[in-house]
Amino acid sequence: MSLTIPALAGKLAGLQSSAIRDLLKLTARDDIISLAGGLPDAALMPRERIALAAEAALRDPAVLQYTESSGWPALREVIAARESAEIGRTVPVDEVFITHGSQQALSLLAEVLLDPGALVIVEDPAYVGALQVFRAAGARIVAVPLDSDGMRLDILEDLLAAGERPALVHTVSNFHNPGGVTLAPQRRRRLAELAEAHGFWVIEDDPYGELWFDQPAPAPVASYSPQVIRLSSVSKILSPALRVGWMIAPDRVARAVELLKQGADLCGSSLTQQITTDLLTDTTWLAAHIDAIRTTYGTRARALTTALRTTFADRLHCTDPTGGMFIWAEFTDNTNTATLLPTALDAGVAYVPGAAFAVSSTADSSLRLCFTTSDEATLTEAVNRLSSAIG
């Protein structure tokens, strides 16, 4: 009898593994300085404070039980209060939905808001996690380039004038991954106006907003319209291992997401959500903790940009990070960063080639650098190794 192999779903045909995750497997060697991963510094994660919160949470038997699909009620109240202060309006608890990291929120929203073939507008370069989600949803993806003020809304307006009708626009509004830029205040207001005028959703993906260096990020895009769905998490300010993210969305969207989450994993972890509640409500401790992260990351960002400009001068242009975790750089002499990468790894330094984030452009001469997990001397050495790889 012949063997008939069952087929996989057709939608998998166009999907690829994240180039960044694949690269991380190659950069685990101790002799490589990795500027490739988008990881917060584990040394800055509050292990002792998390341990105390876990010990307190475990005194409550309910913490080991299932919780509501929409999240631990006390945590939803905390997030509602925090987001109300951020957005500048009262956010009802019903509009708060807790997810297994903000990436799950993005995935569930794609199922709720997109039919196959629906148009999604993304930034170029784009967050690769969003590209994976939208491709899996069968969306038609069109990219709008970034400049120093974020998404080029003039190009978005040209697309709308030409008859394009997106179902949603995705933006990493603060300290962009990978672009390192922040959406300007006037563009935030205009994006919200366009959403209301043309009937599309905006997903404001904001995991980095609290990691500003010198001054807070502008008011969220969600401040200007209820058609903006906000995503965030505690992965960058507390720990990725807690796997606590959230979305702020109109009730009908949140309820639709709830139906899908029930089919995906029933609910999140009561334990990690109660731990997160404890840490977020300890406001004096939390403010000092986040301020320490900002100070450290700001120092490292300045060290990396200084080393890049000192070493490469006019041969390379890079962003001036005002927050977040990333620098976007571009060689002006057409150095192909994907071709260069094996030589750079041999020299002991890793980065992510810009092509990994490109949608419409090629970004062949660009690269993303993460400054969070190395001290200033190590960052300078990383740039020296990159220089030696180029020759």
Side-chain angles (χ1 to χ4, degrees), residues 133-154:
V133 164
F134 299 143
R135 285 168 178 159
R140 179 168 68 93
I141 298 172
V142 172
V144 171
L146 297 170
D147 63 15
S148 59
D149 285 330
M151 179 184 283
R152 288 275 306 277
L153 291 192
D154 59 319

Side-chain angles (χ1 to χ4, degrees), residues 236-254:
K236 307 305 187 293
I237 62 170
L238 296 177
S239 167
L242 292 171
R243 304 314 301 135
V244 171
W246 58 87
M247 70 173 191
I248 307 300
D251 183 66
R252 66 190 180 98
V253 175

Side-chain angles (χ1 to χ4, degrees), residues 12-360:
L12 293 172
L15 299 185
Q16 298 178 346
S17 176
S18 166
I20 300 170
R21 295 298 170 190
D22 293 343
L23 180 59
L24 291 178
K25 298 175 185 177
L26 301 175
T27 58
R29 298 190 339 235
D30 291 339
D31 60 326
I32 290 181
I33 301 173
S34 180
L35 309 181
L39 308 176
D41 188 348
L44 297 175
M45 296 177 195
R47 286 173 292 175
E48 293 182 1
R49 184 64 184 82
I50 290 173
L52 289 174
E55 182 181 1
L58 288 168
R59 298 193 189 106
D60 179 2
V63 81
L64 299 180
Q65 190 54 274
Y66 293 108
T67 188
E68 298 175 15
S69 297
S70 56
W72 186 264
L75 178 58
R76 294 174 68 205
E77 292 177 3
V78 171
I79 298 301
R82 285 170 57 86
E83 289 289 334
S84 295
E86 187 74 15
I87 295 174
R89 66 171 176 85
T90 299
V91 175
V93 173
D94 286 347
E95 293 186 4
V96 179
F97 197 95
I98 308 300
T99 54
H100 194 74
S102 60
Q103 185 69 21
Q104 186 188 51
L106 190 58
S107 180
L108 293 172
L109 282 169
E111 293 187 65
V112 166
L113 303 179
L114 299 176
D115 291 316
L119 173 60
V120 173
I121 303 293
V122 300
E123 294 153 326
D124 196 2
Y127 167 52
V128 293
L131 291 178
Q132 286 180 305
V133 164
F134 299 143
R135 285 168 178 159
R140 179 168 68 93
I141 298 172
V142 172
V144 171
L146 297 170
D147 63 15
S148 59
D149 285 330
M151 179 184 283
R152 288 275 306 277
L153 291 192
D154 59 319
I155 295 179
L156 174 59
E157 292 193 58
D158 288 344
L159 290 170
L160 295 170
E164 292 284 19
R165 290 295 175 262
L168 66 86
V169 172
H170 177 267
T171 179
V172 181
S173 55
N174 293 320
F175 319 125
H176 191 272
N177 175 14
V181 298
T182 293
L183 188 64
Q186 65 272 24
R187 293 191 186 181
R188 295 174 185 234
R189 182 185 295 275
R190 182 59 180 155
L191 179 56
E193 291 172 350
L194 291 172
E196 294 189 348
H198 295 276
F200 59 81
W201 295 100
V202 174
I203 296 181
E204 182 180 20
D205 211 342
D206 186 23
Y208 310 104
E210 294 191 72
L211 299 182
W212 48 268
F213 299 154
D214 298 317
Q215 60 182 10
V221 184
S223 301
Y224 303 109
S225 173
Q227 287 178 212
V228 181
I229 300 170
R230 264 180 65 79
L231 310 184
S232 194
S233 80
V234 298
S235 293
K236 307 305 187 293
I237 62 170
L238 296 177
S239 167
L242 292 171
R243 304 314 301 135
V244 171
W246 58 87
M247 70 173 191
I248 307 300
D251 183 66
R252 66 190 180 98
V253 175
R255 301 292 71 79
V257 167
E258 184 171 12
L259 291 176
L260 292 177
K261 184 169 171 66
Q262 288 170 353
D265 63 3
L266 295 180
C267 65
S269 165
S270 301
L271 176 58
T272 61
Q273 291 184 29
Q274 187 158 324
I275 291 169
T276 301
T277 304
D278 187 333
L279 271 60
L280 293 182
T281 52
D282 189 353
T283 53
T284 300
W285 169 84
L286 182 65
H289 168 70
I290 295 176
D291 189 58
I293 297 174
R294 291 175 185 143
T295 299
T296 300
Y297 287 178
T299 300
R300 292 174 181 178
R302 287 185 285 272
L304 182 54
T305 52
T306 297
L308 288 169
R309 287 168 178 157
T310 300
T311 302
F312 294 106
D314 291 339
R315 191 178 179 183
L316 177 143
H317 293 160
C318 66
T319 55
D320 281 304
T322 57
M325 300 169 56
F326 305 106
I327 289 172
W328 182 257
E330 182 175 5
F331 285 101
T332 59
D333 58 3
N334 296 319
T335 296
N336 187 300
T337 55
T339 303
L340 176 66
L341 182 58
T343 305
L345 291 171
D346 288 341
V349 62
Y351 57 82
V352 184
F357 309 96
V359 185
S360 298

